[in-house]
Amino acid sequence: DTGVSQNPRHKITKRGQNVTFRCDPISEHNRLYWYRQTLGQGPEFLTYFQNEAQLEKSRLLSDRFSAERPKGSFSTLEIQRTEQGDSAMYLCASSSLPPNRGEEAFFGQGTRLTVV
Amino acid sequence: GNSVTQMEGPVTLSEEAFLTINCTYTATGYPSLFWYVQYPGEGLQLLLKATKADDKGSNKGFEATYRKETTSFHLEKGSVQVSDSAVYFCALSPDSSYKLIFGSGTRLLVRP
């Protein structure tokens, strides 16, 4: 297994356009997380899936954001009507147990979004 | 609410110097505590963890002890190397949630 894979690695889009990112977790992991990281800050939690069920969402996840994990495998994060404030690194992570049980979350290298 | 505060960087040290990066937290209950590291050009990876009070996490010469009385989880290393240059993130996972809550990160630069 090559770890958590995210595509694309970079995305430049015009304000108002929709974008979609993909995350392929480590194959045996049933838990998947999305985070957002801006320059000079730590990652901020967006949402959590256990298998295909979305069990936790942050207030940061506005109505323009939607995440899915069909069949409990890969996940997509879509941002509609992008704004300049959406420019950030979007990180995906996966784990076999949740971190509140002391389990390690494995992170992908992220998708860097730039909204111009 | 739950939060993590860590010392601002950058921290610049000479090789073989002693390292301390301070981390304090606010949380209800008994969170799990972590240090993650991000090397240049790489993704976040776990450095060490502790899940209950007085536990000591250790890895690659780094150590941190879960101190509930002072709500701290300071990262230490006795002798840093140039290859330790990276950004270090302290994080907690509340026992009532599935998420990680990160501090803002501390950049470490080790000079030969």
Side-chain angles (χ1 to χ4, degrees):
Chain A
D1 198 335
T2 55
V4 177
S5 176
Q6 292 188 245
N7 288 288
R9 292 292 307 279
H10 304 272
K11 179 71 177 178
I12 300 174
T13 190
K14 292 183 177 179
R15 189 176 50 178
Q17 297 295 305
N18 300 343
V19 293
T20 300
F21 310 140
R22 177 179 170 122
C23 171
D24 288 274
I26 293 172
S27 57
E28 59 265 32
H29 289 173
N30 63 345
R31 298 162 198 268
L32 185 145
Y33 315 81
W34 284 98
Y35 289 82
R36 181 172 68 186
Q37 186 177 19
T38 53
L39 201 60
Q41 299 299 314
E44 295 175 295
F45 171 79
L46 293 177
T47 192
Y48 161 70
F49 289 87
Q50 184 173 329
N51 299 311
E52 67 276 8
Q54 188 174 21
L55 296 185
E56 191 171 352
K57 291 170 62 174
S58 165
R59 283 171 289 180
L60 290 174
L61 213 65
S62 75
D63 291 345
R64 296 185 298 106
F65 287 70
S66 63
E68 294 183 340
R69 193 184 182 197
K71 303 179 183 178
S73 55
F74 71 92
S75 176
T76 57
L77 177 68
E78 180 183 18
I79 309 174
Q80 295 182 327
R81 305 180 304 281
T82 52
E83 302 172 356
Q84 287 190 319
D86 297 331
S87 296
M89 179 75 85
Y90 290 84
L91 298 172
C92 178
S94 69
S95 67
S96 52
L97 289 172
N100 62 6
R101 298 271 297 274
E103 185 72 9
E104 176 179 2
F106 292 80
F107 283 81
Q109 291 196 287
T111 294
R112 182 171 296 283
L113 173 66
T114 303
V115 181
V116 297
Chain B
N2 301 299
S3 66
V4 174
T5 302
Q6 60 181 106
M7 62 189 286
E8 288 189 20
V11 174
T12 303
L13 296 173
S14 297
E15 205 165 23
E16 299 184 1
F18 184 84
L19 169 71
T20 300
I21 300 178
N22 291 335
C23 170
T24 57
Y25 68 89
T26 302
T28 54
Y30 300 90
S32 294
L33 301 177
F34 304 83
W35 278 99
Y36 277 81
V37 60
Q38 190 167 33
Y39 296 104
E42 299 185 18
L44 275 167
Q45 55 187 275
L46 180 68
L47 180 60
L48 53 82
K49 64 183 180 182
T51 57
K52 60 183 187 294
D54 300 324
D55 267 2
K56 178 185 283 188
S58 61
N59 186 26
K60 299 182 181 180
F62 290 89
E63 293 183 340
T65 301
Y66 190 144
R67 301 285 188 200
K68 191 157 180 66
E69 64 276 13
T70 54
T71 61
S72 65
F73 193 54
H74 303 320
L75 182 68
E76 296 182 334
K77 186 175 186 183
S79 176
V80 293
Q81 305 300 311
V82 172
S83 57
D84 294 326
S85 297
V87 182
Y88 292 81
F89 293 93
C90 185
L92 69 84
S93 185
D95 54 12
S96 58
S97 169
Y98 301 107
K99 63 188 172 189
L100 285 162
I101 297 170
F102 287 87
S104 57
T106 302
R107 182 175 298 278
L108 171 65
L109 177 61
V110 180
R111 300 191 184 280

